[in-house]
Amino acid sequence: MASLLFLCLLPAVAAVEETLLDTRVATAELGWTAYPSSGWEEVSGYDENLNTIRTYQVCNVFESNQNNWLWTTFVNRRGAQRIYVEMRFTVRDCSSIPNVPGSCKETFNLYYYETDSGLTIKGAALWTEMPYLKVDTIAADESFSQVDFGGRLMKVNTEVRSFGPLSKNGFYLAFQDYGACMSLLSVRVFFKKCPSIIQNYATFAETMTGTESTSLVIAKGTCVQNAEEVDVPIKLYCNGDGEWMVPIGSCTCKAGYEPEKTTSCRACHSGTFKANQGSEMCIPCPANSRSLHEASSVCNCRNGYYRADFDLPEMPCTSVPSGPRNVISSVNETSITLEWHPPRDVGGRDDVMYNIICKKCHSNRKLCTRCDENVEFVPRQYGLTETRVFISSLWAHTPYTFEIQAVNGVSGKSTFLPQHVSVNVTTNQAAPSTVPIMHQVGSTMSSITLSWPQPDQPNGIILDYELRFYEKDQNEYNSSVVKSLTNTARIDGLRPGVVYVVQVRARTVAGFGKYSGKMCFQTLTDDDYKSDLREQLPLIAGSAAAGVVFIVSLVAVSIICSRWKTIFSWRFITLK
C-alpha cells in the first residue's frame, strides 16, 4: 500500500539517453546554416582534453546591434515527446576585452522550430518568416579572460535545456548571438527513456518520458517466466528524468518455483517442493513423501502412506493405525461394557478414533448378522474418541461378536479394511421391557383403579408389578409404591380432585425392568362424586324396583306351588 501513497523512487537505475544529434563525434563539416555570413563560423578546434572537434564561433563584439543566427540540420525526433539539448560552450568575459562597447554580451538564445519535413527556405527568410519558439536565454556560469595556445585556460560551460511536447516528425534548432564572443564547442540533442528493468519479478520495457518534466508515464509490466500477478495488475511510472517510480502490484513465483536473484523464478529441484505461489523458497519433501520431478508443488506419498484431504502439503504422509489391544468385556444381563487399549502404532497421527461393529450370532457362531437399530451405544457407536463403550438393549441369552476398529484421518484413503480386534460375549437373563401404556378403569374421591398390558418382551415369567405414584405438583422423590400380582391395581388413600403421576414396571427373576413413561390420572372431586351419584339414582331405583318385583314373583310362585301341592295330595288321598 505504501507504493500507492508515496511517489517513491526505485533503487537507482541510470536513465537511458538516446542521442539524436551529437557534434562531438562529427569528423566532417557540420554544414549548418549561418546568417549573416559574417556571423557564426565553423572551425576545427580542441576541447578541454585536446580532442579535435568541429565548433562554431562568433566574436563581433566591437560592432553593435548584432543578430547572428545559426541553424542546425533537420533532426528526426523518433517518437520522443520531450527533447533535451546539451550545449558546451565558452564565453569571453566582456570586461577582459579592451575598448569593447557596451553592447558586448555574455549570453545567447536557443530556439526550435517543429516541422514534418526539411525546409528549402534560405537566407533572411529563415529568421524573419519562421515561427521559432524560444527555449531559453543561455548564460555562462564561467567566462574566460585570456587564452593560451591550445585553449587550456578556457572555462567550458555545460548547459542542458529541454522543450516539448512535440508532435511532428522533427525539428530544427537555432542559436541566436546578439553580441557575444563565444565558441559553441558541441551540441548534443537527445531524449530520455526509462530503461528496461525487472522489478518485483516483472519485466518493463524501455519507456519514453512524458511531454513535461513532471509527467508520469504508466508502463505495464509482464511477469517473468513462471511468475504470476498478485492482486492488482503490476505497473510502474516513468518520470520526466527517465527514472522509474511508484511501483504498484507485483508478481511472485508460481507454486513449484522459487525466487532466484530477485529477478527470475527457478524450478524446485527433485526432492523439494513449493505448495503455493509466493516469495517462499522450495523446501524438502516431508517425511514419507517424495518428488521425482522438478517444479513440484506437492510431494507424493510413498506406498502405504497417505495424506488426508485437510492435511497441508507441508505435513508428512501418514499411515493407518494398527488394531486396538487388550479388550476387556463386562456382561450385565443384556448390557455389555467394552474397554480397550489404544493401538501400538497410530500411523503417525493424533486423530485416532474407534468404530464398534455389532453382530448377533446363532448358538454355534457360524452365522452372524448385523445388530438391528434398537441396540444402544453410549456415548456412540462410530467415531469414539474414548477407549470405552456401554452397549445395551441386547437380546437375552444370545451370543454376540463385537469388532472394535481403529481408524484415523487417512483410513478412508486405504484400500484395506480398518484393523480391528474382536470379542465374543453371550448375554444373560434380561429384565422385562417397559410397560407400553396404562388405562384408568375407575376412580373415586380417594382411589384410582388402573390396568395395563404385559410388556412386549417379558423375558420370562412376570412375578409381579410395581407402581410408583406421587402428586403432580410434588417432587418425584416424594413418591409412594404399590405392588400388584396382576396387571390391574387399585391405589387407595388418595386426596380428592388431585392429579397423580403414575409409573409401572414389571419384575422377573432377572429383576425389575425400567419404569414406564409418566402418565397422569385424577381422583374425583366432591362435586364429581355427587354428580355421578345423581346420575346413578334412577339406575339404583330401577334396580330396586326390579328386585321387589322379582321377590313378589317368587312369593307368588311359591304360594301357587304350595296350593297345587295340597290339592294334589288331597286328590291322591281321595283316589286312594
Short mmCIF file of all heavy atoms in Angstrom, two decimals, residues 2 30 52 60 82 88 145 147 237 382 398 400 501 525:
data_model
loop_
_atom_site.label_atom_id
_atom_site.label_comp_id
_atom_site.label_asym_id
_atom_site.label_seq_id
_atom_site.Cartn_x
_atom_site.Cartn_y
_atom_site.Cartn_z
N ALA A 2 2.13 1.15 0.49
CA ALA A 2 2.96 2.35 0.54
C ALA A 2 3.19 2.91 -0.85
O ALA A 2 3.28 4.12 -1.04
CB ALA A 2 4.29 2.02 1.22
N LEU A 30 29.94 20.22 -40.28
CA LEU A 30 28.57 20.03 -39.81
C LEU A 30 27.57 20.52 -40.85
O LEU A 30 26.47 19.97 -40.96
CB LEU A 30 28.37 20.77 -38.48
CG LEU A 30 29.25 20.27 -37.32
CD1 LEU A 30 29.02 21.13 -36.08
CD2 LEU A 30 28.95 18.81 -37.01
N THR A 52 40.25 16.89 -31.11
CA THR A 52 39.82 17.71 -32.24
C THR A 52 38.30 17.68 -32.35
O THR A 52 37.69 16.61 -32.31
CB THR A 52 40.45 17.20 -33.54
OG1 THR A 52 41.88 17.22 -33.42
CG2 THR A 52 40.03 18.07 -34.73
N ASN A 60 31.83 39.18 -32.75
CA ASN A 60 31.64 40.51 -33.32
C ASN A 60 31.27 41.49 -32.21
O ASN A 60 30.22 42.12 -32.21
CB ASN A 60 30.55 40.49 -34.39
CG ASN A 60 30.91 39.62 -35.57
OD1 ASN A 60 32.09 39.38 -35.83
ND2 ASN A 60 29.91 39.17 -36.31
N ARG A 82 9.57 14.90 -25.61
CA ARG A 82 10.33 15.99 -24.97
C ARG A 82 11.80 15.81 -25.33
O ARG A 82 12.36 14.72 -25.20
CB ARG A 82 10.14 16.00 -23.46
CG ARG A 82 10.74 17.24 -22.82
CD ARG A 82 10.23 17.48 -21.43
NE ARG A 82 10.55 18.84 -20.99
CZ ARG A 82 9.85 19.92 -21.28
NH1 ARG A 82 8.74 19.80 -21.99
NH2 ARG A 82 10.21 21.12 -20.86
N ARG A 88 27.82 22.74 -24.85
CA ARG A 88 29.12 23.01 -24.23
C ARG A 88 29.72 24.20 -24.97
O ARG A 88 29.90 24.18 -26.19
CB ARG A 88 30.01 21.79 -24.31
CG ARG A 88 29.42 20.58 -23.58
CD ARG A 88 30.26 19.32 -23.77
NE ARG A 88 31.57 19.42 -23.16
CZ ARG A 88 32.71 19.58 -23.82
NH1 ARG A 88 32.69 19.65 -25.16
NH2 ARG A 88 33.86 19.68 -23.19
N SER A 145 39.15 35.08 -19.55
CA SER A 145 39.67 36.40 -19.87
C SER A 145 40.86 36.33 -20.81
O SER A 145 41.21 37.33 -21.43
CB SER A 145 40.08 37.16 -18.60
OG SER A 145 41.04 36.39 -17.86
N VAL A 147 43.47 33.36 -23.31
CA VAL A 147 43.60 32.01 -23.84
C VAL A 147 45.04 31.80 -24.26
O VAL A 147 45.63 32.65 -24.95
CB VAL A 147 42.69 31.80 -25.07
CG1 VAL A 147 42.83 30.37 -25.58
CG2 VAL A 147 41.25 32.12 -24.72
N TYR A 237 5.70 3.78 -13.00
CA TYR A 237 5.57 5.10 -13.60
C TYR A 237 6.95 5.59 -13.99
O TYR A 237 7.89 5.55 -13.20
CB TYR A 237 4.92 6.09 -12.63
CG TYR A 237 3.45 5.86 -12.41
CD1 TYR A 237 3.02 4.96 -11.45
CD2 TYR A 237 2.50 6.53 -13.17
CE1 TYR A 237 1.66 4.73 -11.25
CE2 TYR A 237 1.14 6.31 -12.98
CZ TYR A 237 0.74 5.41 -12.01
OH TYR A 237 -0.61 5.19 -11.80
N TYR A 382 -19.97 -44.95 16.43
CA TYR A 382 -18.89 -44.63 15.49
C TYR A 382 -18.20 -43.34 15.91
O TYR A 382 -18.81 -42.45 16.50
CB TYR A 382 -19.44 -44.48 14.07
CG TYR A 382 -20.14 -45.71 13.56
CD1 TYR A 382 -21.53 -45.78 13.52
CD2 TYR A 382 -19.42 -46.81 13.11
CE1 TYR A 382 -22.18 -46.91 13.04
CE2 TYR A 382 -20.05 -47.94 12.63
CZ TYR A 382 -21.44 -47.99 12.61
OH TYR A 382 -22.08 -49.11 12.14
N THR A 398 -28.08 -64.56 24.27
CA THR A 398 -27.75 -64.52 22.84
C THR A 398 -26.25 -64.27 22.67
O THR A 398 -25.69 -63.39 23.32
CB THR A 398 -28.53 -63.40 22.13
OG1 THR A 398 -29.93 -63.61 22.33
CG2 THR A 398 -28.21 -63.37 20.64
N TYR A 400 -23.03 -62.75 20.93
CA TYR A 400 -22.70 -61.55 20.15
C TYR A 400 -21.20 -61.53 19.86
O TYR A 400 -20.40 -62.02 20.66
CB TYR A 400 -23.09 -60.27 20.89
CG TYR A 400 -24.57 -59.98 20.89
CD1 TYR A 400 -25.39 -60.48 21.90
CD2 TYR A 400 -25.14 -59.19 19.90
CE1 TYR A 400 -26.75 -60.20 21.91
CE2 TYR A 400 -26.50 -58.90 19.91
CZ TYR A 400 -27.30 -59.41 20.91
OH TYR A 400 -28.65 -59.14 20.92
N VAL A 501 -49.21 -38.61 39.20
CA VAL A 501 -48.32 -39.16 38.18
C VAL A 501 -48.02 -40.60 38.56
O VAL A 501 -47.61 -40.87 39.70
CB VAL A 501 -47.01 -38.35 38.08
CG1 VAL A 501 -46.07 -38.98 37.04
CG2 VAL A 501 -47.30 -36.91 37.71
N THR A 525 -63.53 -35.22 42.44
CA THR A 525 -63.80 -34.19 43.43
C THR A 525 -65.15 -34.51 44.09
O THR A 525 -65.89 -35.41 43.67
CB THR A 525 -63.87 -32.82 42.78
OG1 THR A 525 -64.95 -32.81 41.83
CG2 THR A 525 -62.56 -32.51 42.02
#
